[in-house]
Amino acid sequence: MSPTLRLATPDDAPALRELIAASARGLQQDDYSPAQIEAALRSAFGVDTQLIADATYFVAEAAGRPVACGGWSFRRTLFGGDDQPGRQAERLDPAREAARIRAFFVDPGWARRGLGRAILTRCESEARAAGFVAAELMATLPGVRLYATLGYQAAPPQEIPLAGGVTITFVPMRKAPL
């Protein structure tokens, strides 16, 4: 069965939390330690309900359940779920600032089937329609491979602090023009 792509709704949040956890634990274990993954699941890898409210977050669904998700934002926050400290809800200026590509996760059983690419294509299209000419994101180490293939340029990696004194390496990336 081919997944269908649709906007996420508030009712999706519990299933998205499960998908995000399964994705992080299943697809990031070669790049991050179990302690990093679990700490990130408490903040950096959570559901961002602002994206859902803004109608900029998508779910790829198969057999009635989410198998991939991701979105874009016209707000300043670059990464993290509802529990991530330092969130900034201010709107970006599309003439001067880049749209944010946010919170991409794929069920391990559905990995490498083009779902991330399909969601990213939709996000970039919508960001362009909103007047943005560039996009930026904070990639996980496994995500760098996908985004680089699709034209995003990496900046030097950054160590991001998480709960319990744990840090995680993320890579800022940018694509211009979209």
Side-chain angles (χ1 to χ4, degrees), residues 66-108:
V67 294
C69 57
W72 73 281
S73 183
F74 50 80
R75 298 186 187 275
R76 191 156 310 284
T77 295
L78 185 57
F79 71 93
D82 289 345
D83 296 325
Q84 178 70 24
R87 297 170 56 77
Q88 299 171 307
E90 301 85 23
R91 288 178 171 261
L92 299 166
D93 177 356
R96 298 181 305 107
E97 298 173 292
R100 308 304 197 223
I101 301 299
R102 304 276 317 277
F104 274 61
F105 296 94
V106 177
D107 181 296

Side-chain angles (χ1 to χ4, degrees), residues 12-152:
D12 291 318
L16 290 173
R17 282 185 197 91
E18 290 178 17
L19 168 63
I20 290 167
S23 178
R25 291 176 180 134
L27 298 177
Q28 297 184 6
Q29 59 191 344
D30 291 341
D31 294 288
Y32 298 125
S33 72
Q36 288 174 307
I37 292 169
E38 295 308 313
L41 283 168
R42 291 191 296 275
S43 61
F45 293 163
V47 173
D48 185 337
T49 55
Q50 183 69 65
L51 296 174
I52 295 171
D54 289 342
T56 59
Y57 201 63
F58 302 97
V59 174
E61 189 174 65
R65 70 179 187 89
V67 294
C69 57
W72 73 281
S73 183
F74 50 80
R75 298 186 187 275
R76 191 156 310 284
T77 295
L78 185 57
F79 71 93
D82 289 345
D83 296 325
Q84 178 70 24
R87 297 170 56 77
Q88 299 171 307
E90 301 85 23
R91 288 178 171 261
L92 299 166
D93 177 356
R96 298 181 305 107
E97 298 173 292
R100 308 304 197 223
I101 301 299
R102 304 276 317 277
F104 274 61
F105 296 94
V106 177
D107 181 296
W110 286 85
R112 291 164 196 47
R113 295 190 194 187
L115 297 177
R117 179 184 300 261
I119 295 171
L120 185 59
T121 298
R122 174 83 176 263
C123 291
E124 289 177 348
S125 175
E126 290 200 4
R128 275 192 306 276
F132 287 94
V133 295
E136 50 188 42
L137 56 90
M138 190 65 89
T140 61
L141 294 176
V144 168
R145 296 181 282 276
L146 168 69
Y147 298 120
T149 299
L150 299 174
Y152 285 77

